[in-house]
């Protein structure tokens, strides 16, 4: 079975650990066919360089080293495909600057994600405890859809991240927001990530995989394609809980995932493949 993990960080972002090669070795150990690094972009767009936010991206000075290291691993470990990606916050107004920052490098993919609502601040979704959940979900999904429409990204990561911190709205309200989001993602021909971070990070809230099943089902109806990511910030988490993601794909009727090379999608059918791994 062609399993890949397209969401792996490195210690450069300041909140991950381990050596780059240890992530690759963990992926080989787990029998993955591909590992894609997608460390956090330097947060050059921050208005105030506050500590709370800078700790989430790699320093600008580390970007060359990051790229060199991943390219080196591609040749050092021929038994697995090592992909060069980057996780980029979607911040409206900074599209041109992002394009010029990433332009010199040979990316396999750029993952777009929303970690904060720029109109509110540049912190993290979890900081919005004093806002009401309806405003958070509405603003978050609107940004995710706008990220898809920006065409800056090849993959969108953890598209319903606020579920990690906030209780769902009523089913009717969630379904309405999910439906609007899925339609916009479908129109933009988006690839989304099945992200297993929620499975291991917040068991008490029963967060599960991002996106949750009802949203994923709507995405499939709208023709949105998927890839896989663990959001590992430690080598031991590479490929973590992929059994949950694979089950979800089966339950929602997906029979292919997307592999990316030089920012081009390749569709890998796995309906005939052995589902055990
Ligand atoms: Zn991170
Ligand atoms: Zn993220």
């Amino acid at each position: 079975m062609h399993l890949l993990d397209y969401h792996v960080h490195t210690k450069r972002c300041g909140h991950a650990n381990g050596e780059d090669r240890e992530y690759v070795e963990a992926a080989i150990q787990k029998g993955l066919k591909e590992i894609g690094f997608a460390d956090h972009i330097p947060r050059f767009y921050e208005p105030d360089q506050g500590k709370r936010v800078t700790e989430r991206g790699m320093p600008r000075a580390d970007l060359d080293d990051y790229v060199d290291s991943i390219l080196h691993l591609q040749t050092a470990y021929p038994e697995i495909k090592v992909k060069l990606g980057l996780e980029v916050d979607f911040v409206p107004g900074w599209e041109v600057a992002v394009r010029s920052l990433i332009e010199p490098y040979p990316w396999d993919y750029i993952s777009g994600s929303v970690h904060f609502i720029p109109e509110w601040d540049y912190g993290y979704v979890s900081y919005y405890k004093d806002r009401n959940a309806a405003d958070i979900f509405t603003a978050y999904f609107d940004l995710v859809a706008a990220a898809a429409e920006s065409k800056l990204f090849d993959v969108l990561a953890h598209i319903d991240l606020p579920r990690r911190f906030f209780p769902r709205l009523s089913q009717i309200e969630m379904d309405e927001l999910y439906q609007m989001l899925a339609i916009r993602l479908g129109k933009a021909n988006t690839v989304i990530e099945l992200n297993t971070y929620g499975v291991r990070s917040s068991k008490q809230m029963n967060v599960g995989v991002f996106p949750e099943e009802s949203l994923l089902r709507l995405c499939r109806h709208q023709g949105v394609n998927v890839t896989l990511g663990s959001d590992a910030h430690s080598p031991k988490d590479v490929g973590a809980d992929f059994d949950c993601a694979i089950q979800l794909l089966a339950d929602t009727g997906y029979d292919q995932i997307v592999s990316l090379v030089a920012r081009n999608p390749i569709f890998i059918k796995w309906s005939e493949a052995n589902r055990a791994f």
Side-chain angles (χ1 to χ4, degrees):
M1 182 175 222
H2 194 106
L3 283 179
L4 47 83
D5 185 344
Y6 272 7
H7 196 147
V8 167
H9 291 277
T10 79
K11 62 184 181 184
R12 293 173 191 77
C13 70
H15 58 277
N17 59 63
E19 299 304 317
D20 300 350
R21 62 172 173 75
E22 293 179 300
Y23 288 84
V24 178
E25 286 163 7
I28 294 168
Q29 200 84 42
K30 293 204 169 168
L32 304 187
K33 297 285 195 290
E34 303 185 33
I35 179 170
F37 286 85
D39 206 3
H40 298 279
I41 189 174
R43 286 195 162 183
F44 62 91
Y45 45 76
E46 282 170 33
D48 59 4
Q49 300 290 313
K51 182 176 180 302
R52 286 207 315 179
V53 288
T54 46
E55 66 194 7
R56 296 193 181 278
M58 74 173 87
R60 175 69 184 85
D62 284 359
L63 187 57
D64 284 343
D65 173 67
Y66 169 69
V67 171
D68 288 349
S69 172
I70 308 313
L71 295 181
H72 166 73
L73 292 170
Q74 289 177 341
T75 49
Y77 291 91
E79 59 269 57
I80 188 168
K81 285 184 184 152
V82 178
K83 297 290 175 70
L84 176 64
L86 190 68
E87 182 175 14
V88 176
D89 296 288
F90 179 60
V91 185
W94 288 87
E95 294 87 342
V96 172
V98 166
R99 273 187 220 283
S100 68
L101 180 76
I102 64 178
E103 195 269 324
Y105 304 100
W107 308 107
D108 287 306
Y109 58 91
I110 300 295
S111 286
S113 65
V114 177
H115 296 111
F116 52 85
I117 312 294
E119 272 182 37
W120 299 350
D121 73 14
Y122 288 64
Y124 191 57
V125 174
S126 65
Y127 301 159
Y128 303 143
K129 293 290 187 200
D130 53 344
R131 302 237 174 204
N132 87 47
D135 290 349
I136 291 163
F137 281 113
T138 303
Y140 190 92
F141 292 148
D142 187 51
L143 269 177
V144 169
E149 289 154 2
S150 77
K151 300 291 180 193
L152 266 175
F153 310 112
D154 307 296
V155 181
L156 292 185
H158 50 67
I159 63 170
D160 56 348
L161 180 67
R163 280 195 309 104
R164 189 177 160 207
F165 307 104
F166 300 95
R168 289 172 184 74
L169 312 176
S170 72
Q171 198 57 50
I172 289 175
E173 290 169 304
M174 286 317 280
D175 286 347
E176 198 175 311
L177 289 173
Y178 283 168
Q179 181 70 22
M180 284 191 304
L181 175 60
I183 289 171
R184 287 174 70 182
L185 296 180
K187 277 199 185 128
N189 204 19
T190 312
V191 176
I192 59 168
E193 164 198 82
L194 250 70
N195 179 308
T196 59
Y197 189 75
V199 180
R200 65 184 185 278
S201 71
S202 308
K203 288 203 164 79
Q204 69 282 10
M205 275 187 78
N206 190 26
V207 172
V209 177
F210 302 112
E212 70 172 322
E213 180 170 348
S214 57
L215 175 53
L216 186 62
R217 203 172 285 282
L218 292 167
C219 285
R220 191 182 65 78
H221 286 306
Q222 298 299 331
V224 175
N225 282 294
V226 295
T227 187
L228 290 172
S230 65
D231 219 333
H233 287 74
S234 174
K236 69 173 171 23
D237 289 331
V238 172
D241 301 305
F242 273 16
D243 49 344
C244 299
I246 292 163
Q247 187 61 49
L248 197 53
L249 288 175
D251 291 348
T252 50
Y254 276 97
D255 69 348
Q256 62 181 15
I257 58 167
V258 173
S259 169
L260 287 147
V261 58
R263 306 199 67 180
N264 292 306
I266 297 164
F267 297 93
I268 300 173
K269 288 265 179 204
W270 62 7
S271 47
E272 321 82 43
N274 177 5
R275 287 188 34 213
F277 86 103

